[in-house]
Structures are given as C-alpha cells and as structure tokens.
Amino acid sequence: MFLKKCIDLILILPKFFFLSFILYFALTIIVIIFELLAFSLLLPLLTMLSNNVMDMNSFPNFISTLNEYSIKISNFDFLNNLKSIALAIFFIFLTKVFFQFILTWITGRISVDAHHFYAVRLFKTYTNRDYRFHQKNSPSKLFRNLTSEISNFSAVILFQLLSIFVEISVLLSIFLFIYFIEPKIIFVILILVLIISLVYLITKKILKLYGDKRVFFEDKRIAVIQNTFEVIKDIIIYDISKIFTKNFDYSNYNLQKAGFVVKIVNALPRYLFEITGVLILVVTIFLFSDSEKNNTFQIIGLFLLAAFR
C-alpha cells in the first residue's frame, strides 16, 4: 500500500522528470558495470594470492579483451603484473565512485524539484477548493501537509528510495556474479532475505504507529502555535499564557517522543545488518572451509566485499 502510494505520487510528476529518471537508471547500470568489472579483477587476484601463483590467464576472456584495447589506446597493460592490476582496480573503483557521485547529485535534484512541484501543486489545490473543504480541514492540517509532509516524502522517502534502489541493484548484481562461481551462495542469500524480511515486518508496525502519532501531534502543535499568535493580544491582557504554554508543552513533548522512537527504530537495522554480516561470514566459512576446489580464500574474500556493500 505504501509503495503503491509512492508510485502514484511519482507518476503525477511532469514529463521532464522522467528524463531525469532515465538518466538515473542509465547511471545505475554504469555503476553496476564498473562494480562487476572490479570484482572480475578481484576474484582472480584473490585466487592467485591464495595459491601464491601469478597466472594472468586466470582472468575472464572479456578482461583480456579490455586489456588489449587498453594497450592499443593508451599503451597500458594492466595485466602485466600485480602492481598494474592493483592500479587498474583502484582506477575502476575511482571511476565508479565518480559516477556514483553524479548519480547522487541527480537523485538530489529529483528530490528538490519534486519537493517544489508537490508544494506548488498542493498549495494551488487548497486555494482553489470551496469553503466547505476548509471548514472540514483545519488550517494546521493543511499547513502541516504543505510543509513537513511534503518535505518528508520528497527529501526523505523519495531520495532514500532512489538511493536504496541503486544499492540493492549493485548488491544483487554482486550476488549473481558470485552465484556463477559458487552456487552454494543461494543459502547465504536466503538467510539475508529472511533477516531483511524479519526486520521489515518488525519495524513496519512500530514505524506506522509512531508515524501516525507524529502526524497527529505535529498537527496539534501547529494549531497551538497558530491559535496562540492569533490571540496574542488577549493572552497578554488576561495573563493566560500558562494555558497555551501547557498545551504547547503537551503536543511538543509527544511529537518529540514519537520522533525519538522513529529514529531509534530506523537505526536498529544498521546494527542488525552488522550482525548479519558477521553471521554470513561464519556461514560462509562453514560452507566452504572444506571445499575441494581449494578456493576458500577467494570465496570468503568475495563475501567480505559483498558484505561491505
């Protein structure tokens, strides 16, 4: 339901936004290509280091082809020795980071432009509604929607969804890459999916409950502020500031309390995923430590790199 609402909101954006989305997806593919390219160099390198043998023929064919083009264009043979391979991996990751920075910039621009579009459109909608609509909806509620709710969606939800999509795409590509090397990775993927699903189910209800509380008390706080300054003259004359202060204190305290719970719950997945990373490493050692292929070092190394992602 939540995802559907997000998609519906994205679909009402003007057409020029979709050019940005096309560029966003194109850059995502480029980042994935460079990530996999770096892994294609790292895997044989880990194998050679584990076997203490330098065999340049262990690299995939397309890496050798790229090396030939590199020699023709820049006269640089990155498969010449260990140092040149290390330099090639460094520059590939450097290029990937450069494209990731551009991707982050585009994601930020989409978020900022969407924020402006939603705010103007919603404001126009409110000002063109009949008086009965404004009787049913308090000014504080409309004010909240125009400020914090639009900001929460465009600057937080939309931006984070786009950022997470990139990371998930890269991570899935890495796991797919490792799967062709060692099919047993399916057990690790199942563990990861199970833990992610469990975290999602646990945090979803808590976030929804306290998210609704945050919206409710933020509405109340805005109403108190508006009402206070609308009758500030009467408050001063009759010396009744304590009543308004008490109302503000109540709504503000509960708003901050709901925000505190949301922040704590949002931080929990990070620590759970850190534990998951260690768990995956332990499972990997149990699965591959007795491997007859003698590639335990490279498999564990790859999983450590995947865990880093």
Side-chain angles (χ1 to χ4, degrees):
M1 183 64 71
F2 169 75
L3 189 59
K4 184 180 182 301
K5 288 181 179 178
C6 291
I7 294 173
D8 290 340
L9 286 171
I10 291 172
L11 290 176
I12 67 173
L13 291 169
K15 291 183 179 179
F16 72 86
F17 272 90
F18 293 96
L19 294 175
S20 299
F21 280 116
I22 290 172
L23 185 58
Y24 164 83
F25 287 116
L27 284 171
T28 300
I29 293 172
I30 291 173
V31 169
I32 290 172
I33 290 172
F34 275 98
E35 190 90 36
L36 294 180
L37 188 61
F39 266 75
S40 299
L41 285 169
L42 281 170
L43 175 60
L45 181 63
L46 288 171
T47 304
M48 289 186 290
L49 290 173
S50 62
N51 296 330
N52 200 25
V53 176
M54 297 301 296
D55 182 13
M56 298 304 171
N57 295 321
S58 60
F59 291 96
N61 292 331
F62 76 93
I63 293 292
S64 301
T65 304
L66 285 175
N67 187 45
E68 291 175 6
Y69 280 111
S70 175
I71 294 172
K72 290 180 182 178
I73 296 172
S74 61
N75 200 29
F76 176 62
D77 182 5
F78 61 79
L79 295 182
N80 183 39
N81 52 48
L82 185 61
K83 292 181 180 179
S84 61
I85 296 172
L87 280 175
I89 293 172
F90 172 76
F91 283 111
I92 287 171
F93 271 108
L94 188 65
T95 306
K96 181 194 71 94
V97 169
F98 171 74
F99 281 111
Q100 275 189 311
F101 174 78
I102 297 176
L103 190 58
T104 302
W105 185 85
I106 291 173
T107 304
R109 285 305 313 174
I110 291 174
S111 173
V112 169
D113 293 341
H115 189 175
H116 177 70
F117 170 78
Y118 291 132
V120 173
R121 176 161 176 165
L122 191 58
F123 183 81
K124 184 179 179 181
T125 301
Y126 287 160
T127 54
N128 284 281
R129 297 299 294 268
D130 55 26
Y131 187 67
R132 183 177 296 178
F133 169 81
H134 291 280
Q135 285 180 315
K136 292 180 179 179
N137 295 276
S138 64
S140 60
K141 179 181 179 181
L142 304 184
F143 182 84
R144 185 203 69 215
N145 291 341
L146 281 167
T147 54
S148 60
E149 295 309 308
I150 288 179
S151 179
N152 284 334
F153 175 75
S154 57
V156 180
I157 297 174
L158 181 59
F159 182 82
Q160 292 300 332
L161 280 176
L162 292 173
S163 301
I164 289 171
F165 175 81
V166 175
E167 295 303 322
I168 290 176
S169 299
V170 172
L171 190 60
L172 288 176
S173 301
I174 293 172
F175 277 129
L176 184 63
F177 177 80
I178 303 176
Y179 175 77
F180 288 110
I181 301 167
E182 182 52 69
K184 286 183 180 180
I185 190 181
I186 193 67
F187 295 110
V188 179
I189 294 176
L190 288 174
I191 292 173
L192 186 61
V193 170
L194 181 64
I195 292 174
I196 291 175
S197 301
L198 188 63
V199 171
Y200 173 75
L201 291 173
I202 292 173
T203 58
K204 180 183 176 182
K205 292 182 178 180
I206 300 174
L207 288 175
K208 187 179 184 308
L209 174 63
Y210 282 91
D212 291 340
K213 285 186 176 182
R214 181 194 63 80
V215 170
F216 176 79
F217 285 110
E218 186 168 13
D219 191 10
K220 293 294 182 184
R221 186 178 69 165
I222 293 172
V224 170
I225 294 172
Q226 287 180 328
N227 294 334
T228 300
F229 291 106
E230 284 175 0
V231 294
I232 188 65
K233 184 178 179 180
D234 294 328
I235 292 173
I236 295 172
I237 293 174
Y238 296 106
D239 192 22
I240 53 175
S241 61
K242 288 183 178 180
I243 297 173
F244 289 85
T245 302
K246 185 177 180 180
N247 290 335
F248 179 80
D249 178 74
Y250 173 76
S251 57
N252 189 67
Y253 173 78
N254 284 281
L255 173 62
Q256 300 307 322
K257 182 179 178 181
F260 169 76
V261 174
V262 170
K263 288 178 181 178
I264 294 297
V265 174
N266 282 334
L268 285 178
R270 175 186 174 184
Y271 304 111
L272 291 174
F273 288 136
E274 285 185 10
I275 296 173
T276 303
V278 177
L279 177 62
I280 287 175
L281 178 60
V282 172
V283 172
T284 303
I285 292 173
F286 272 91
L287 286 174
F288 304 111
S289 59
D290 298 325
S291 175
E292 296 179 358
K293 297 178 183 179
N294 195 27
N295 61 350
T296 305
F297 181 78
Q298 71 182 61
I299 295 294
I300 293 175
L302 282 172
F303 272 103
L304 285 173
L305 290 169
F308 173 76
R309 287 300 308 171

